[in-house]
Amino acid sequence: MKKLFLLLLLLPTVALALDTPTSYIRSNVDAVVAILSSPEYKDEATRDAQMQKIEGIVDGFFDSEELSKRSLGQYWRTFTPQQRDEFQVLFLELIKSVYLKKSVAYNGEVVAFNQEIVKSDTLAEVHTTITSPQLNIPVIYYMLRKDASWKVYDVSVENVSLVKNYRSQFQSILQKNSPDQLIAILKEKTNE
């Protein structure tokens, strides 16, 4: 009975230890790698099913609102709530269409989890490196804690921030166009 009581007292501590920024990134990366390396998806005919499974992970991985806010910068305030919602969905679809296509080229690369930097109760960074005999790519995940869960709001690959890259593109478009026109451009890009 004492052992059971001690175990119950330790469970919240174990759960908190598992809910670190690094554990969040690791569990998602491991899930994607498992799908990419699964023999179930080696046949070209199963590629769509493989991508759908990975997309399901990516949908929960990012904080799409924070990612969108930071990517739009000052223009976020000019979007109506409906435009913000539509933009968030389309922007995440764009990210998936651009970056998930590259994941099909997975060839046994390994992800090293180098460092976790907790900046506050709600902000953290996880520094990783994707390695293989031919490459060594640093990747930093910028994270925000909301609703007792960590989410990614930016990714930097070889010192190129996803948010900063898109922010410059979106600001260039929004200087001459309306939010609806940017949304139309995103719809077109995601349908390509």
Side-chain angles (χ1 to χ4, degrees):
M1 186 67 167
K2 276 186 180 179
K3 286 182 184 179
L4 178 61
F5 181 69
L6 184 59
L7 180 64
L8 290 174
L9 285 176
L10 290 176
L11 279 177
T13 306
V14 172
L16 286 175
L18 292 175
D19 188 27
T20 65
T22 300
S23 66
Y24 179 80
I25 298 296
R26 185 185 310 268
S27 66
N28 282 279
V29 167
D30 288 350
V32 170
V33 168
I35 294 166
L36 289 171
S37 58
S38 171
E40 178 182 350
Y41 301 111
K42 291 300 178 196
D43 184 16
E44 189 66 36
T46 61
R47 289 280 186 236
D48 286 343
Q50 182 185 42
M51 284 299 105
Q52 284 178 340
K53 281 194 112 171
I54 293 171
E55 283 181 22
I57 294 168
V58 172
D59 285 341
F61 184 69
F62 285 101
D63 180 327
S64 64
E65 180 179 1
E66 193 66 28
L67 177 68
S68 297
K69 260 189 210 178
R70 289 173 185 256
S71 296
L72 288 172
Q74 67 195 29
Y75 291 99
W76 176 257
R77 292 186 304 268
T78 66
F79 280 57
T80 67
Q82 182 183 353
Q83 288 170 327
R84 289 175 182 176
D85 291 344
E86 190 172 8
F87 177 84
Q88 287 176 57
V89 170
L90 289 168
F91 185 36
L92 193 54
E93 286 302 313
L94 177 66
I95 290 170
K96 290 188 295 190
S97 70
V98 170
Y99 294 97
L100 291 185
K101 289 176 186 171
K102 295 177 182 179
S103 70
V104 176
Y106 175 76
N107 197 21
E109 292 84 6
V110 175
V111 178
F113 295 87
N114 305 326
Q115 183 180 21
E116 174 179 287
I117 301 171
V118 177
K119 297 189 172 239
S120 71
D121 289 344
T122 58
L123 292 172
E125 296 175 11
V126 175
H127 295 245
T128 66
T129 307
I130 300 172
T131 60
S132 76
Q134 296 82 22
L135 54 89
N136 202 17
I137 302 172
V139 179
I140 303 171
Y141 298 92
Y142 297 92
M143 304 176 72
L144 183 66
R145 188 177 183 99
K146 276 188 183 173
D147 303 325
S149 176
W150 289 101
K151 297 287 183 188
V152 172
Y153 69 83
D154 192 10
V155 178
S156 174
V157 179
E158 293 184 314
N159 296 317
V160 178
S161 161
L162 177 82
V163 165
K164 287 179 184 173
N165 181 34
Y166 279 106
R167 184 184 308 137
S168 66
Q169 293 177 49
F170 294 153
Q171 287 184 349
S172 176
I173 293 167
L174 288 166
Q175 285 172 354
K176 300 173 189 120
N177 300 287
S178 70
D180 282 332
Q181 289 167 312
L182 175 59
I183 289 169
I185 291 167
L186 286 180
K187 281 180 183 174
E188 188 178 311
K189 291 236 181 256
T190 57
N191 290 329
E192 288 178 353

